[in-house]
Amino acid sequence: MSFPSASLKTECSRYSSSNDSVDNGSIFTSDAANAEEATKFVRYPQIRFIAALGDPNSSRGTGADQWGLWRDDPGPRGVRLQNADSLIEKGIAPAGWQFDPQDWWLEEHGLIMSQPGDLPRTKLDANKKMVPSKRYVVTGDREVTSVLTVFQNGEWSLGKGTLYDVTHLPCRSAR
């Protein structure tokens, strides 16, 4: 079965404690209209991509518990479809990732990609207490940059725009 997936480009995660999965980076505020909505974020050292499945016209929904996060750009680490036989035979891509023939990702330009990891949906606050949501700055590198909030129960919402607006179109993929 094939599931089309949006690829959301994320450069930042909401800033919280040092236990977050965020490395050193510059802190900046969101482009919220008023100061009450401004939130501190930390820039990741490299761009990350969220594998998100949902109605492209929606700005909120469920299913984020099935989404994934590529911590490295999966494109350069991908294997061309014409080299699939070798990948299947060896079980390991030249970039070192393990290929699962029962569950794999294909990018629209014919690249077999590594599996994304789980998308973190919780974080620790300054007091080391779990917060049942996590926020990401996401963009499709077009007109809209938005704050994506994912909740522990799998619900998600965008501060503005739709899933299509923040989909990085050159990287659509299917599972």
Side-chain angles (χ1 to χ4, degrees), residues 98-115:
Q98 185 77 36
F99 176 71
D100 179 352
Q102 303 301 313
D103 188 12
W104 52 281
W105 289 77
L106 180 65
E107 186 259 353
E108 68 180 314
H109 298 105
L111 286 176
I112 299 170
M113 300 186 305
S114 61
Q115 293 275 353

Side-chain angles (χ1 to χ4, degrees), residues 94-155:
W97 53 268
Q98 185 77 36
F99 176 71
D100 179 352
Q102 303 301 313
D103 188 12
W104 52 281
W105 289 77
L106 180 65
E107 186 259 353
E108 68 180 314
H109 298 105
L111 286 176
I112 299 170
M113 300 186 305
S114 61
Q115 293 275 353
D118 291 336
L119 178 67
R121 298 183 318 275
T122 61
K123 68 178 187 72
L124 297 177
D125 68 13
N127 297 319
K128 308 271 189 223
K129 293 188 181 195
M130 187 180 63
V131 177
S133 64
K134 188 162 174 103
R135 296 172 61 170
Y136 299 87
V137 174
V138 293
T139 182
D141 268 348
R142 294 185 313 280
E143 295 178 18
V144 176
T145 297
S146 187
V147 175
L148 168 69
T149 304
V150 291
F151 298 90
Q152 186 176 18
N153 66 2
E155 292 179 12

Side-chain angles (χ1 to χ4, degrees), residues 14 29-41 135 147:
R14 183 158 195 252
T29 57
S30 69
D31 59 359
N34 63 52
E36 288 181 341
E37 293 179 13
T39 305
K40 292 182 180 178
F41 286 84
R135 296 172 61 170
V147 175

Side-chain angles (χ1 to χ4, degrees), residues 36-51:
E36 288 181 341
E37 293 179 13
T39 305
K40 292 182 180 178
F41 286 84
V42 172
R43 184 172 296 279
Y44 283 120
Q46 72 246 4
I47 295 170
R48 296 172 180 206
F49 294 87
I50 296 173

Side-chain angles (χ1 to χ4, degrees), residues 5 7 12 22 57 69 88 94 102 107 111 154 156 160 164:
S5 174
S7 179
C12 308
V22 177
N57 297 314
L69 177 68
I88 292 167
Q102 303 301 313
E107 186 259 353
L111 286 176
W156 62 272
K160 65 179 175 180
Y164 178 82

Side-chain angles (χ1 to χ4, degrees), residues 53-75:
L53 176 64
D55 178 352
N57 297 314
S58 293
S59 59
R60 61 180 2 96
T62 59
D65 52 328
Q66 301 297 310
W67 293 4
L69 177 68
W70 281 290
R71 296 181 189 283
D72 297 309
D73 184 346

